[in-house]
Amino acid sequence: VQLQASGGGLVQAGGSLTLSCAASGRFVSVNRMGWYRQYPMKERELVATMTTDGSTNYADSVKGRFIISRDNAQNMVYLQMNSLKSEDTAVYHCNAQIVRFRGRTDTYDYWGQGTLVTVSS
């Protein structure tokens, strides 16, 4: 199972950027998908998650600015980031909780390789 993230880059403050992440490989289903970010020398922190039924959870710092969405048929998750601020500069990681084996309900946590978002002020 692999998660491939893309879409990071350099953007000016106030601008927008959209991240994408695709899950591929052999598995039964993908449960919760989401995005986390990591600042240098800091722990990874939640940005936004979304379940298969569409329930979302956002960090307070991004509410009203970021929108998470997913395509369940394609096993993809997106993060639309608007009104970007310099403090949004970080490495963004996608995450997926995946059911690997048919007949089982336990999930495995997978992470993408990280994509750097840099917001210039």
Side-chain angles (χ1 to χ4, degrees), residues 59-98:
D60 288 342
S61 59
V62 307
K63 283 180 181 176
R65 300 189 298 122
F66 290 10
I67 301 171
I68 188 170
S69 61
R70 58 187 288 179
D71 181 336
N72 291 332
Q74 299 295 322
N75 297 311
M76 293 193 69
V77 64
Y78 306 93
L79 185 68
Q80 181 180 338
M81 303 183 293
N82 303 313
S83 302
L84 282 161
K85 305 175 181 179
S86 57
E87 52 262 43
D88 295 317
T89 296
V91 176
Y92 286 71
H93 297 269
C94 65
N95 169 266
Q97 294 180 339
I98 291 178

Side-chain angles (χ1 to χ4, degrees), residues 12-59:
Q12 287 190 330
S16 298
L17 206 60
T18 298
L19 306 181
S20 303
C21 178
S24 62
R26 298 187 66 171
F27 51 85
V28 174
S29 62
V30 182
N31 288 359
R32 193 180 69 189
M33 298 186 82
W35 294 92
Y36 293 72
R37 64 188 178 188
Q38 189 168 22
Y39 300 105
M41 306 299 289
K42 294 289 183 65
E43 295 288 322
R44 200 171 292 182
E45 65 179 38
L46 167 76
V47 176
T49 61
M50 190 174 203
T51 61
T52 50
D53 64 2
S55 297
T56 58
N57 183 35
Y58 291 94

